Amino acid sequence: MDESNINWILAVACLLAGIGLGALGYHLLNAGADGRQRLRQRLAERDRELSALRDGLDEHFDEVGRLTEALRHSGEALTARLAADAAALGGHTQSRRGLAVDAAAPSSDGSEDEAVPTPRDYADGSGGTLSEDFGLKESDNQEPETPRY
């Protein structure tokens, strides 16, 4: 064979190998781009689903608000009707607002010292935990310690 033919054959073989390697590299790089495109589509679908869910939730809360308002109006109408019927029957004439409970009248003798003390939920000292024998000691000769609040 002639030397010039070998050069041409080698050039064509290298050209074909380069084209094959280029096509393989393009396919591998394009596969990553396709995955990213599918991921973007899934993300867009999730965003649409989330916005539809938010819209549905807003509509739900609006409906619940309307229903509670209607329920409140019905309760007020029922209270007014009961008060009118009681007045017509000569019952208790003092009008009450809803189901409000009268507050207990404070004692007139001013003895606030008789109130129940607030329970302690901490331990003495800096440890922060109660010992196993807390409250079990009998101390007849000591004065009771004032609780810290």
Side-chain angles (χ1 to χ4, degrees), residues 14-95:
C14 286
L15 180 66
L16 289 175
I19 289 173
L21 287 175
L24 180 65
Y26 176 76
H27 176 69
L28 292 176
L29 291 176
N30 196 21
D34 286 341
R36 284 191 299 270
Q37 181 64 26
R38 276 180 271 157
L39 190 62
R40 284 187 192 119
Q41 286 175 349
R42 284 180 42 203
L43 181 63
E45 289 173 8
R46 299 285 192 239
D47 284 341
R48 282 192 299 268
E49 289 174 4
L50 183 62
S51 64
L53 182 64
R54 285 181 183 159
D55 292 340
L57 192 61
D58 288 342
E59 291 172 5
H60 171 72
F61 283 137
D62 290 341
E63 181 67 21
V64 168
R66 284 191 299 271
L67 289 174
T68 54
E69 188 66 25
L71 185 61
R72 187 182 62 80
H73 285 299
S74 297
E76 288 176 356
L78 180 62
T79 303
R81 174 75 184 264
L82 286 174
D85 290 346
L89 293 175
H92 194 271
T93 58
Q94 179 185 3
S95 64

